[in-house]
Amino acid sequence: MDDAARTYTLADLETWSRPGTSLAVLGHPIKHSISPAMHNAALAVLARADARFADWRYFRFEVPPEELPRALELLHAKKFRGVNLTVPHKILAFASPRVVEIDPAARPVGAINTLRHRAEGWEGFNTDGHGLASGLREDLGAELAGSPVILLGAGGAARGAAVECLQRGVASLWIANRTRENLDALLTQLAPLAGEIPVHGFDPRQPPAALPVAGALIINATSAGLKPTDPLPLDLTSLPAPSSATGDTARPRAVYDMIYNPPETPLLAAARARGLPAANGLSMLVHQGARSLELWSGAAVPVAAMSEAARAALAAR
Ligand code: NDP
């Protein structure tokens, strides 16, 4: 019971007896998750400097939604130190009675991706927003604070990104989504958090003339781009040119796509073709994982080792 390359199930958890400190990621599907490679690489580095981490391992578990309550109960009873949650568990876990406390910063997101063991139950966090902000900084030298942001999508990832944008004080937030009712639902959820920050929605097929394109960070949080046949989530050539600005000052600051597989989506290719700085979501994945490991270990996490392992695992897929 110590094979970090294996995919485990609830049945394995029922009989789990590993003595070392265990961590897990739960998802459905989970087989292709690169989180075990990333976390175990970081743990190997930590163990070289501190023997406390020598028996720490991170495992993947295939858990369909109906098995989540039992899985959370067993993981707690078996004293797993921490858990990551991915599709479709982030919202389900948020509402779970096994999660006894939720980090205040995660509450407006309505979803959690990290659990930390406490005697009386799980403590929930959401590290995706930190991952996004750190990825933007690392890959593009960009800060959310003070930037106009054009966010594409209104699903779970977009909601997390939008909350992070508002918590970090963006200059304005413009959200585009294909389906108007999903956009409206997100705008309603965000309204109490916006404060002085202007938040608007628009149809990506008809970008409004008032869209603050100059210097904007464009962030794709849709799943358009996962498949080669997907349409662009936003046609960059359709963006209005600000009348008062010319050349570089009229252009977006950069384009970030949360998708990292494929590594270059059509949106990123279009951005690069226009000479715009562009990056994919691998840095977000790495930094959300690094923040989770920091919460579990209290140690300074070797982010570069996680990044290297994530790239290698993706290349080997
Ligand atoms: P959801 O299913 O919750 O939301 C999907 C979103 O994509 C909706 O806004 C949907 O619009 C839109 N969409 C789907 N297909 C199309 C299309 N063909 N054209 C235009 N819009 C489309 O997914 P998530 O929010 O959980 O995830 C979104 C993306 O973010 C995924 O690709 C995921 O891999 C990525 N992600 C990356 C992370 C990272 O660490 N890098 C972390 C989390 C997510 P509509 O409302 O109209 O259906």
Side-chain angles (χ1 to χ4, degrees):
M1 195 163 280
D2 211 357
D3 180 358
R6 233 187 92 181
T7 299
Y8 291 89
T9 65
L10 191 63
D12 298 309
L13 206 46
E14 298 277 359
T15 56
W16 194 267
S17 59
R18 181 176 182 271
T21 300
S22 298
L23 303 165
V25 58
L26 312 186
H28 180 65
I30 198 67
K31 206 169 81 191
H32 294 298
S33 170
I34 60 175
S35 290
M38 201 165 80
H39 282 273
N40 286 317
L43 291 170
V45 173
L46 287 177
R48 284 204 285 276
D50 185 342
R52 190 162 57 99
F53 295 107
D55 69 356
W56 286 47
R57 295 287 182 283
Y58 185 105
F59 302 93
R60 70 164 73 83
F61 284 84
E62 177 71 44
V63 174
E66 63 277 12
E67 290 181 0
L68 183 68
R70 179 71 180 147
L72 293 185
E73 185 184 334
L74 278 171
L75 288 159
H76 192 264
K78 306 276 180 180
K79 301 215 166 19
F80 276 63
R81 188 171 186 102
V83 178
N84 276 145
L85 301 156
T86 186
V87 175
H89 298 312
K90 294 184 190 185
I91 295 170
L92 294 169
F94 184 86
S96 166
R98 299 267 157 212
V99 180
V100 293
E101 194 175 329
I102 292 184
D103 178 34
R107 287 181 204 150
V109 183
I112 48 178
N113 74 335
T114 303
L115 301 177
R116 184 164 67 181
H117 193 280
R118 275 193 7 193
E120 63 278 26
W122 294 109
E123 198 180 356
F125 300 85
N126 194 318
T127 67
D128 282 335
H130 166 88
L132 173 64
S134 305
L136 289 167
R137 185 178 304 134
E138 181 175 284
D139 287 342
L140 301 166
E143 295 294 333
L144 287 172
S147 286
V149 171
I150 300 171
L151 178 63
L152 313 178
R159 180 166 170 178
V163 170
E164 193 69 20
C165 284
L166 297 177
Q167 288 176 340
R168 286 188 186 248
V170 294
S172 62
L173 179 59
W174 289 72
I175 307 177
N177 197 54
R178 179 181 64 171
T179 306
R180 185 73 215 192
E181 59 181 313
N182 295 342
L183 175 61
D184 288 342
L186 177 59
L187 292 171
T188 303
Q189 287 159 350
L190 295 175
L193 307 173
E196 300 291 302
I197 301 171
V199 180
H200 303 276
F202 69 98
D203 181 337
R205 288 153 293 211
Q206 291 168 321
L211 196 66
V213 174
L217 283 173
I218 300 177
I219 301 171
N220 180 37
T222 76
S223 41
L226 284 173
K227 295 194 294 286
T229 50
D230 285 343
L232 280 171
L234 180 71
D235 177 1
L236 298 177
T237 63
S238 72
L239 296 178
S243 51
S244 58
T246 53
D248 272 356
T249 53
R251 291 151 63 82
R253 162 84 175 73
V255 178
Y256 190 84
D257 198 326
M258 287 194 193
I259 295 173
Y260 54 85
N261 192 22
E264 182 167 271
T265 59
L267 179 70
L268 291 180
R272 291 188 178 116
R274 304 191 81 205
L276 298 175
N280 72 29
L282 191 62
S283 51
M284 175 177 175
L285 180 84
V286 168
H287 281 281
Q288 63 76 31
R291 178 80 186 116
S292 298
L293 186 52
E294 196 178 87
L295 286 166
W296 300 324
S297 67
V301 172
V303 180
M306 293 183 89
S307 183
E308 199 180 311
R311 279 169 216 285
L314 265 184
R317 246 165 51 170

